[in-house]
Amino acid sequence: MLSPFELISLLLVLTAVFAWTNHRLLRLPDTVGLLVMGLVASLVLLAGDLLFPDTPLYEDVAGIVRQVDFQTTVLDGMLAFLLFAGALHVDLSALRERAWAVGVMATVGVLLSTAIVGLGFWGLASLAGIGLPLPWAFVFGALISPTDPVAVLSTLKAVQVPRSLELDMTGESLFNDGIGVVVFTIALTVAVGSGHGVAGFSGVAELFLVEAIGGALLGLAAGYIAYRAMRVIDNYPVEVLISLGLVTGTYALAARLGTSGPIAMVVAGLLIGNRGQRDAMSDLTQRYLFGFWTLVDEILNAVLFLLIGLEVLVLRSEVLVGWLPASAILLVLVARFVAVSLPVLALSRWNGFVAGTIPVLTWGGLRGGISVALALSIPEAPEKATILSATYVVVVFTLIVQGLSLRRLVERTVPRG
């Protein structure tokens, strides 16, 4: 059993070694390269265990990976920093121009996708002879429908798209994550039959308001307090420290209050990154604060994508369950196409969309560590293995196949200039 410091040290050393190897040899995008190398290393260990079952190497490494609580690490740790860092760099004035498009895709789009994936996965499971109840199928639909802001933002760094399309992708991924967690919470509550706080439509509406609206208000209030504190001083170490306190304190308070921490982080990041940058920071503070959060974003992204690749060691028995997880890939793509097409077509009369928006948004709807973490957060139940395996296969496919081919799709479908 490794100590927490030893575990963190091992992860950082592995991340550094794999990142260097990818930069020198594979030359894939940093995050995708780390995911691929982690996945390949895991599969080599699995193959070695099958060929040489008496060798303890696999169990030793898998035991170390099991020490990393992926759900807690992502949902209760990394996510706060990654969402704040992502929102910090978004131009709020430009995002306002895309507010309707982003808002509809982040809400109606998630609900549409959840319904389509849920019904489709329930039908596919029945064909596979797996008795998956419909409420549990909707749990899978809810956790796999939101695009992952971490994956989308890291991919956009390597793919050049028109400004309006970039705002649609960025804004949707930042906000539909929080909405998706709320929908997942409701679906899981219904599936496990606990009934805590959810009793019909009024209960669902109340939970949504507390989580989503409460999270936004909390992020706005905390962000404004931090903004006012920064405005009366000019000391970049203290102001960077204030931003760290804002992220950790607000996210922890959101968990205590039962509101959405992800939405709070996005709102706070938008406020500090726009009004704070304009009115409360000197040029020197801006350089250090934005540089600090860019570095935090890059490091945590690298560690997260490596963990996704290594997670197959823990999911060994669940991943190898037949054709159902593979068929979920096509189902999720179809649902994403519908969830993107309907809002874009409905809003095209009032919002301008560049040519190629629908295929790029469909193929660029990447899933990542948040979906895996939500799947792992499901209580132990017979349905968990089926949902977990499908989630992992879909996530790996979107990150590697869709992530690596998105640039080519953009070049073919989006006009230059």
Side-chain angles (χ1 to χ4, degrees):
M1 179 76 70
L2 299 179
S3 69
F5 180 78
E6 290 172 327
L7 190 60
I8 293 171
S9 300
L10 180 59
L11 283 175
L12 289 175
V13 169
L14 274 178
T15 303
V17 170
F18 281 12
W20 183 88
T21 305
N22 174 62
H23 184 76
R24 292 285 295 176
L25 301 177
L26 299 181
R27 300 190 181 280
L28 294 171
D30 292 339
T31 50
V32 176
L34 284 163
L35 169 62
V36 169
M37 294 187 71
L39 187 59
V40 169
S42 300
L43 294 176
V44 168
L45 286 171
L46 286 171
D49 185 54
L50 292 174
L51 294 172
F52 308 102
D54 296 330
T55 304
L57 182 59
Y58 166 79
E59 286 299 332
D60 291 343
V61 177
I64 293 174
V65 175
R66 288 191 189 98
Q67 281 188 248
V68 181
D69 188 333
F70 192 92
Q71 174 204 344
T72 302
T73 301
V74 176
L75 295 182
D76 299 334
M78 291 182 174
L79 187 58
F81 298 93
L82 291 167
L83 286 176
F84 181 83
L88 197 66
H89 294 88
V90 175
D91 185 347
L92 185 57
S93 61
L95 186 60
R96 284 197 194 100
E97 299 175 6
R98 313 297 301 174
W100 274 105
V102 168
V104 172
M105 285 191 291
T107 53
V108 177
V110 169
L111 295 174
L112 272 174
S113 179
T114 299
I116 294 169
V117 172
L119 289 170
F121 196 65
W122 176 67
L124 289 172
S126 299
L127 289 175
I130 299 174
L132 183 70
L134 185 58
W136 282 104
F138 282 124
V139 169
F140 173 66
L143 69 87
I144 207 66
S145 290
T147 57
D148 191 301
V150 179
V152 172
L153 293 176
S154 64
T155 301
L156 282 177
K157 294 173 184 176
V159 179
Q160 295 296 321
V161 298
R163 181 65 172 159
S164 62
L165 182 53
E166 180 184 355
L167 286 169
D168 290 342
M169 295 178 73
T170 301
E172 182 205 7
S173 66
L174 285 171
F175 284 101
N176 74 6
D177 169 62
I179 300 298
V181 172
V182 174
V183 176
F184 168 79
T185 302
I186 295 170
L188 183 62
T189 304
V190 173
V192 299
S194 63
H196 296 314
V198 178
F201 177 80
S202 60
V204 170
E206 180 182 353
L207 180 57
F208 181 85
L209 287 173
V210 171
E211 288 258 356
I213 307 302
L217 293 175
L218 176 63
L220 184 63
Y224 184 74
I225 292 172
Y227 155 75
R228 296 295 300 182
M230 290 178 177
R231 190 174 181 180
V232 297
I233 64 172
D234 184 15
N235 186 314
Y236 74 83
V238 175
E239 291 176 78
V240 171
L241 187 59
I242 289 172
S243 69
L244 269 173
L246 168 64
V247 171
T248 54
T250 305
Y251 204 79
L253 183 58
R256 287 288 182 181
L257 297 177
T259 60
S260 173
I263 292 178
M265 288 299 95
V266 172
V267 172
L270 288 172
L271 193 153
I272 296 298
N274 288 268
R275 187 168 181 180
Q277 179 184 15
R278 185 180 67 245
D279 300 333
M281 300 180 201
S282 65
D283 291 340
L284 182 63
T285 297
Q286 289 181 38
R287 186 160 65 249
Y288 276 97
L289 188 141
F290 281 84
F292 170 80
W293 281 104
T294 298
L295 190 58
V296 168
D297 185 38
E298 295 287 349
I299 293 173
L300 292 183
N301 259 310
V303 174
L304 175 58
F305 277 72
L306 177 63
L307 281 174
I308 294 173
L310 294 175
E311 197 67 16
V312 73
L313 291 172
V314 178
L315 308 178
R316 179 185 181 183
S317 59
E318 290 88 347
V319 169
L320 306 176
V321 294
W323 59 267
L324 182 59
S327 65
I329 295 172
L330 180 60
L331 175 62
V332 170
L333 280 172
V334 171
R336 174 67 179 168
F337 174 75
V338 175
V340 165
S341 299
L342 293 183
V344 169
L345 293 174
L347 294 172
S348 59
R349 185 175 177 180
W350 301 277
N351 286 80
F353 293 95
V354 300
T357 292
I358 291 177
V360 171
L361 285 177
T362 299
W363 197 248
L366 308 182
R367 276 68 174 183
I370 296 172
S371 292
V372 177
L374 289 175
L376 288 168
S377 74
I378 296 173
E380 291 304 322
E383 298 81 7
K384 182 174 181 176
T386 301
I387 294 173
L388 194 53
S389 61
T391 301
Y392 191 80
V393 170
V394 170
V395 166
V396 170
F397 178 87
T398 65
L399 292 178
I400 296 178
V401 179
Q402 293 176 220
L404 290 178
S405 58
L406 183 59
R407 175 183 290 181
R408 183 175 299 177
L409 177 67
V410 170
E411 291 172 350
R412 290 185 175 183
T413 59
V414 179
R416 296 289 88 190

